[in-house]
Amino acid sequence: MTAVYKRELRSYFNSMIGYVFVAAVTLVIGLFFTVYNLRGGYPYFAFALSGTVMIFAFAVPLLTMKSMAEERRSRTDQMLLTYPVSVTGIVLGKFLAMLTVYLIPLLISCLCPLVIAKGGNGSFLIDYSTIFLFLFLGAMFISIGMFVSSLTESQLIAAVVGMVSLLLLLLWDTLVSFIPSTVTASAVGFLILFALASLIFARSAGHPAVGIALFGAGAIFAILSAILASRWFSTALTGFLGMFSVYGPVNNFVSNYVFDVKGLLYFCVMTALFLFLTVQSVHRRQYR
Amino acid sequence: MIEVRDLVKRYGSHTVLDHLSFTVNDGQIYGFLGPNGAGKSTTMNILTGYIGMTEGSVTVSGHDLLEEPDAVRRCIGYLPEQPPLYTDMTPLEYLTFAAELKKIPRAERRGAVEEVMELTQLTSMKDRLIRNLSKGYRQRVGLAQAVLGFPEIIILDEPTVGLDPRQIIEIRSLIRSLAERHTVILSSHILSEVQEVCDHILILHHGRLVADGTPEELERSLRDNALELTLKTASENAVHGLLAGIEGISHTELFPSGDGFRAVVYADDGQDLRESVFRACAAADLPLLGMQFRTAGLEQVFLKLVNDEDLAPSGETAPPSSGPAGEEEAREPETASGTDTAADAPASPEEDGSADEAKEADGT
């Protein structure tokens, strides 16, 4: 893992990508910092930082696009996968290398609260805990981008699909708000979700019967809940989907001044999930 | 030692490997030979654990590939068809990275890297970016990473493709020197290369093993068992009369040539007719100008095997017994144009190189 980590990190700074990423992100954070804090006089750097979330949806896929796709295109995966190293080690090494690159602008931004404190009253706890949150947010974005990259040989496709996925995730709250909080909508929504889940499960497990059983159980659950607990069930779908909100935890940190452990945990779980899926995607291709 | 039993690889309904079984013994050079698409690279990719198999078992030095993949990978050094190089690194950086991945202890890493660079004559290029290296040097970097750490088994997929004649000779001698300490498996569709370098040849076709043996054994097993005679006589009947008197002849062919006849005499199985032919000629007072076994080169063996397989798709795994030579000769050009084997067995290294380039253009 350390060998892969070192190589990846060096490759980011052997090519332009590492520098461009660090420069662009630092520039944008600096702009927001200047506009909101230095010019606007708003005393929380956390607020300025939260404005840059959308930028990461574009910048992180640029960082992750080559991680897995390029290995396959240049056949270097043939080296990694025939060496005595585990796929998990490879994926983790790459992930940590990208996280390190991502950390550089974040570390630079650690100076901003100090600048604010020099000119007035800073609120270190809020600002630094938000920067801390952004570490986990970045980890989640990177793992998603990496998973997308593991699905294709083309860096371009990896970048575009990665950006679209992250944008969808950021627009999640708005999208979920379109779903009506009614029993019918919940029932239909859950049925679709169960159908998708059982389809994916059946395909990856190779047992259609398991998928059908899974979908059956889900359908029974949805119908029973709709009949027996219609009050709770009417908001169940929006409640469930709302759990995937990215801005929820960010707003808790930035606007509500709450150290949202649940949100932090959500970012961690998503990171772990997509790292796991990346490993599975490599294995699946190997043992297809 | 590698034992492969009933290896099957399918992609959907397409069968790439069809119940392939063979054993690779220690300390020898094995050659996979076969036209493009025969399953050579697939076999190697499975042996090295790059792709999974559909059915069958692979045991490398007592380790089962599915149960102890890491143990197997530690025994094997692999150079894939396209060298897996990070072009943004220098050979020194790349090989150091490879040494780390192979878990060579830190203290020995530097020495191990220098040793393989020496072996593959890369030392002068060690600080250039791989991106800027020529194809020959890239191939050597790939070879160096396979040899690094000196694993028991070294697997090379078409190691001389795209090299110039001098480099081909160098790589071949390198492979031969490796075989003193290691088991080497290489693949090629260039016959002369396999014939020259390998101790043992496995011929693959359509994912099946169609022949397995030393180059000499393969040639012998497919020898026509035919004698070529040059007789000085004007009378065809005299020749017929002469040959009719010899026991053990299955059939003959006569061609007029110069001031006599050239006769090809096919013996019944396993009989050596030379002595009886000589005595018969002497008795008939018929000048015998020449007599020799007609040997099929490995090239003919290969073409014949591949061709027979195509004609009889049900196939047999043992080398098929030889058919009439005339038919074989008639079929040869057709085969040569039909498959890639036209590039095989070139007479000189220069031709060898051009054959390689032709292959490269195929882009498999």
Side-chain angles (χ1 to χ4, degrees), chain A residues 78-97:
Chain A
Q78 234 166 347
M79 170 185 184
L80 295 177
L81 295 176
T82 58
Y83 271 44
V85 268
S86 66
V87 176
T88 314
I90 297 166
V91 168
L92 278 182
K94 283 171 170 291
F95 169 73
L96 291 176

Side-chain angles (χ1 to χ4, degrees), chain B residues 306-328:
Chain B
V306 167
N307 216 12
D308 286 357
E309 276 285 307
D310 282 338
L311 292 176
S314 59
E316 60 256 72
T317 45
S321 61
S322 87
E327 195 185 326
E328 181 197 330

